[in-house]
Amino acid sequence: MNAPDRDAPAVADAIRAVRAGDRDAFGVIVAHYQRRMFGLALMMTRDATGAEEVAQDALVRVYQRLHLYDARRPFSPWIATITARLAQNWLVKRSRVTRHEGHEIDPDRHAADDDADPLDDLIADEEDRRLWRAVRALPSGQRTAVMLHYRQGLLVRDIASTLGVTSGTVKTLLFRARQRLRHALGGPSADMQGTSR
Amino acid sequence: MMNTDRLDAALRRMPEPTLPSSFEATVMARIARLPEPAQTPRSSHHPARAGRSAVAWVLAVAGLLLVAGLNASAWLQPGAVSDLAAVRLMRGGTPWLSAGGINAVLMALGLLLYSAGLFRQASGGRVRTRSRLS
């Protein structure tokens, strides 16, 4: 499957320019991918501040490792993998901190119990927010698999590599996620006509 | 209940959240402070590593040839294999490898070259690193 939004020719030009030493050309890459990377980080961390931190770190990492990128392969799955790994690191780090301080141990529960929903500020449309909330309510593994597969265009085997699990596990995660989402969004009062734009 | 196709389409169409306006500027400012990154793709065929490997092969093969060559004429004599069996099985007879005088020195040199080749190759393996992301 290809990425939902294929890498733009301008991005390929920017990659070449950055590799040739033009630092400012990286602005094109930032502008093109920042929201997508932030969206992935937000879904994985379920924390707006943390997601911003992860997305920034991921873009800096992309810049530092651009010479390692294989230009024959699509760019967006590569940067999605970097973002996902940094988000995983962020979750582990936060889990250690909260355990050390004796507060919340489960980051998922922490985010779900928050009164202020960051999605209210970040997504304007109510129907879109409902979809995001449904995805956000998925268990961590299913949520990450959905984001990497549907939003970032990663193949099942690439997701498996990123998450350190087998392809079969990823397929199971996606299957269960679809089941849950269909139930969450498919009721008579929650028909998705509004999002069929 | 929503069917799979509609769900897949909705997930792919889902808009991304908006970011703080300062996000891009912050990233670019961080990048401006970084040292210059490598500008050329890293080659999987590193010249220094290839040279090291070639030297290791040359040393090891030279050592083997030297040791083998010392007794090649003896091995090619008729009955050499049965002599070897006799030495092994009956613990007697003529020693199969003669290693006296200059032969012993050359044999030691051959073994030294062979060992040098092996260790050179082994120490070269430590520098092999590869990013999981590349």
Side-chain angles (χ1 to χ4, degrees):
Chain A
M1 189 190 79
N2 291 321
D5 177 17
R6 279 176 166 278
D7 300 332
V11 171
D13 292 342
I15 292 168
R16 276 192 290 274
V18 174
R19 281 174 151 179
D22 181 1
R23 214 174 268 239
D24 293 337
F26 195 72
V28 174
I29 296 171
V30 175
H32 195 79
Y33 291 104
Q34 57 182 354
R35 287 183 69 187
R36 197 190 291 186
M37 293 170 79
F38 177 65
L40 173 61
L42 183 64
M43 270 296 155
M44 289 185 69
T45 62
R46 302 207 282 197
D47 179 294
T49 310
E52 195 178 333
E53 182 188 323
V54 166
Q56 277 187 15
D57 289 349
L59 281 162
V60 171
R61 186 75 61 92
V62 165
Y63 175 77
Q64 288 174 314
R65 298 194 173 184
L66 203 56
H67 62 286
L68 296 172
Y69 163 63
D70 181 354
R72 291 168 300 184
R73 304 186 69 182
F75 188 58
S76 42
W78 187 70
I79 62 172
T81 302
I82 292 177
T83 310
R85 289 204 175 125
L86 287 177
Q88 283 177 322
N89 292 347
W90 186 91
L91 287 169
V92 169
K93 198 167 68 180
R94 193 177 79 163
S95 158
R96 280 192 196 132
V97 169
T98 50
R99 198 179 299 134
H100 178 71
E101 292 176 353
H103 300 312
E104 187 59 67
I105 291 177
D106 179 5
D108 290 355
R109 202 170 70 216
H110 172 81
D113 290 347
D114 266 352
D115 287 339
D117 189 343
L119 289 182
D120 289 344
D121 298 329
L122 299 171
I123 297 173
D125 186 84
E126 175 55 32
E127 285 298 320
D128 293 338
R129 269 207 300 271
R130 207 160 59 79
L131 186 54
W132 272 89
R133 283 201 184 101
V135 176
R136 193 182 57 174
L138 292 170
S140 172
Q142 292 177 22
R143 198 171 66 236
T144 304
V146 163
M147 289 301 289
L148 291 175
H149 186 64
Y150 288 106
R151 309 294 301 158
Q152 310 296 328
L154 262 69
L155 299 170
V156 167
R157 65 166 184 270
D158 293 332
I159 299 171
S161 165
T162 301
L163 300 181
V165 297
T166 64
S167 294
T169 304
V170 174
K171 286 177 188 167
T172 305
L173 288 171
L174 288 171
F175 175 74
R176 289 184 181 158
R178 279 193 294 264
Q179 272 187 326
R180 277 175 178 258
L181 288 172
R182 277 203 302 269
H183 276 105
L185 299 168
S189 62
D191 194 68
M192 289 299 296
Q193 294 296 342
T195 60
S196 301
R197 288 174 276 127
Chain B
M1 189 188 297
M2 182 187 286
N3 67 38
T4 303
D5 289 344
R6 284 185 64 198
L7 178 63
D8 287 3
L11 285 169
R12 291 201 172 90
R13 221 176 21 243
M14 198 164 67
E16 302 293 356
T18 52
L19 272 164
S21 55
S22 61
F23 183 88
E24 188 174 342
T26 309
V27 172
M28 293 308 288
R30 282 182 64 180
I31 284 169
R33 289 196 296 270
L34 293 173
E36 202 65 33
Q39 289 174 9
T40 52
R42 184 180 289 178
S43 170
S44 59
H45 184 76
H46 197 280
R49 193 180 299 150
R52 187 186 194 95
S53 180
V55 170
W57 273 104
V58 168
L59 286 175
V61 171
L64 272 178
L65 288 177
L66 189 56
V67 172
L70 285 174
N71 292 284
S73 58
W75 295 351
L76 295 174
Q77 296 290 328
V81 175
S82 58
D83 286 350
L84 176 62
V87 171
R88 292 285 181 214
L89 296 174
M90 292 177 272
R91 297 179 181 278
T94 311
W96 189 60
L97 285 176
S98 59
I102 189 69
N103 270 8
V105 174
L106 288 174
M107 189 177 290
L109 180 64
L111 289 171
L112 194 66
L113 285 174
Y114 179 67
S115 304
L118 287 184
F119 282 109
R120 195 175 178 85
Q121 184 75 348
S123 67
R126 257 180 282 152
V127 299
R128 283 175 200 160
T129 55
R130 188 164 179 268
S131 167
R132 293 170 67 195
L133 296 174
S134 61

